[in-house]
Structures are given as structure tokens and as C-alpha cells.
Amino acid sequence: MKEKLSADYWQNRYLEQTTGWNAGSCTRPIATYIDQLEDLDLKILIPGCGHGHEAQYLYQKGFRNIHLCDWAQEPLSQLQEKLSDLPASHFHQGDFFALQEDNFDLIIEQTFFCALPPKLRPQYAQKMASLLAPTGQLIGLLFNFPLSQEGPPFGGSLAAYQQLFEAYFSSVQINDCHNSIKPRAGKEYFVQLRP
Ligand SMILES: C[S@@+](CC[C@H](N)C(=O)[O-])C[C@H]1O[C@@H](n2cnc3c(N)ncnc32)[C@H](O)[C@@H]1O
């Protein structure tokens, strides 16, 4: 048994194809957000991208300044074949917390936060704030069920998320998500964070 939540653990989940988190396509809230973007030059990061459905959606729409990060090789290699116009340097295989690239206009959160050990949440918030351009923002989805020992996925409360992110971001908007995919309906918040 691989150490839980290690790089090997995640790589193994992909090899075993026990990827229950995989929505199969870009989820509706993220696609709706992407649909109103006009600037194709935006520098965009998808951390813990896995199969990267959001990246594929962006790519189909003409975005090319997309960066992917995951420490599991399996999904990242598959993505690299699909997104063949992207330079190899945009595929960051390794620990998100060691990512060197920065100045992102947009970071998209989709079941990455909930996959991390909860004790890393302050580091997540700090790292995300440091990766963004001054005018950039992080958008995405966070689960709203109570945080417990059971996970991943690990949940959290509105109050806890607000307290966490307000320490690192000047603007924190967290709202009930009204256009979730069916299995996640009523279970997630849509967040928008600005440094
Ligand atoms: C629950 S999966 C979600 C994948 C994808 N976002 C999706 O929605 O299908 C969590 C992903 O985060 C990656 N991950 C977890 N911890 C990581 C870390 N510290 N650095 C980079 N990737 C990490 C895992 O390898 C896995 O692909």
C-alpha cells in the first residue's frame, strides 16, 4: 500500500483506474466561467490537473498559455499527447508546492484542494497567492461538507474557508454553487480569490 496521499499513491490510483473524482469532462461551473473569458493570452494554471478536462476545454477554445501541474506522471503524459501544441515546459510534473513558474492571470481549482492533507491548507493558500499576477485570480470549486478524518475528498465550512483565505487574499468571494454537475449538486461552493 502506497503512503496515503503521496505521489506514488496518486500515480497508483491512475494506474489502477480508481479515479472516482474524474468528472469525465470540464464541469459546468468551470465551463460557464471559461465561456465568458475573452483574452486568449491569459496565463492559466491548473494545479493537480489529473486528466485536465478544464485544460482540454480551454484548448478547444483556443487558449494556449495553459500550464498543468500534477505529480502523477500517468495523466500528465496522456494530456501531453492530447494538448500537442503546448510546449513541454508547460507540463509541470512534480509537487505543486515546489512549482517555480508564477505570474498567472488565472488559476483553476477543481478537486485539488480537497485531495490535499488538510494540514497543508495554509500552505496551499499562501502558495496560490504567490503564484498569481497582481491582477490575477483563483476560481473554482470547494466542497461544502464537514471536514472529517475521512478523505480524500476533504470538505470544510464557509467560515473556515473564509478565515483561511482572508489571511492571504485581499478579495475572497465564496458562494453556494448553483450550476454544479448532478452528483455534486448542493455539495460545493464556487470561489473567487484575488491577491
Ligand atoms: C482528486 S484528484 C483531481 C484531479 C483533477 N483535478 C480532476 O478533477 O479530475 C487530485 C490530483 O491532485 C494531484 N496531487 C495531489 N497532491 C499533489 C501535489 N502536492 N502536487 C501535485 N499534484 C498533486 C494528484 O496526483 C491528483 O491527480
Side-chain angles (χ1 to χ4, degrees):
M1 169 74 177
K2 309 284 180 193
E3 189 192 337
K4 198 152 181 210
L5 306 185
S6 67
D8 281 352
Y9 165 86
W10 287 107
Q11 167 76 353
N12 226 33
R13 297 281 304 254
Y14 286 102
L15 292 174
E16 291 170 347
Q17 299 186 2
T18 51
T19 54
W21 59 80
N22 181 5
S25 59
C26 184
T27 61
R28 197 179 311 129
I30 305 271
T32 304
Y33 180 84
I34 290 172
D35 287 346
Q36 50 82 49
L37 296 176
E38 292 175 354
D39 182 358
L40 292 178
D41 293 327
L42 288 176
K43 183 175 179 182
I44 304 172
L45 171 67
I46 305 175
C49 60
H51 291 105
H53 298 297
E54 308 75 28
Q56 297 184 54
Y57 192 75
L58 286 161
Y59 191 84
Q60 280 160 19
K61 291 198 142 241
F63 291 86
R64 288 295 180 268
N65 202 357
I66 310 166
H67 289 249
L68 296 310
C69 173
D70 205 296
W71 62 8
Q73 180 67 60
E74 178 67 15
L76 212 50
S77 299
Q78 289 178 24
L79 257 185
Q80 203 159 356
E81 276 177 33
K82 288 181 181 153
L83 310 183
S84 55
D85 282 0
L86 300 191
S89 60
H90 286 206
F91 294 84
H92 305 271
Q93 198 235 321
D95 186 1
F96 160 77
F97 293 100
L99 190 61
Q100 295 292 324
E101 186 80 34
D102 62 3
N103 216 28
F104 290 100
D105 299 305
L106 178 65
I107 301 178
I108 298 179
E109 164 56 56
Q110 173 72 78
T111 55
F112 173 53
F113 177 90
C114 70
L116 294 170
K119 66 175 185 219
L120 294 183
R121 289 182 174 185
Q123 278 170 257
Y124 168 101
Q126 184 179 37
K127 180 71 178 172
M128 288 295 187
S130 78
L131 290 173
L132 285 167
T135 55
Q137 64 173 324
L138 181 154
I139 67 100
L141 299 157
L142 299 181
F143 284 122
N144 67 7
F145 47 75
L147 177 60
S148 74
Q149 300 292 323
E150 298 297 315
F154 297 103
S157 68
L158 179 59
Y161 290 153
Q162 261 164 341
Q163 191 181 23
L164 171 70
F165 292 121
E166 279 170 4
Y168 300 94
F169 292 88
S170 65
S171 170
V172 174
Q173 289 178 49
I174 306 177
N175 296 298
D176 290 335
C177 186
H178 295 298
N179 57 353
S180 298
I181 58 170
K182 208 168 169 192
R184 297 179 192 167
K187 295 182 192 157
E188 55 187 10
Y189 296 121
F190 192 82
V191 302
Q192 286 184 274
L193 311 173
R194 292 176 191 273

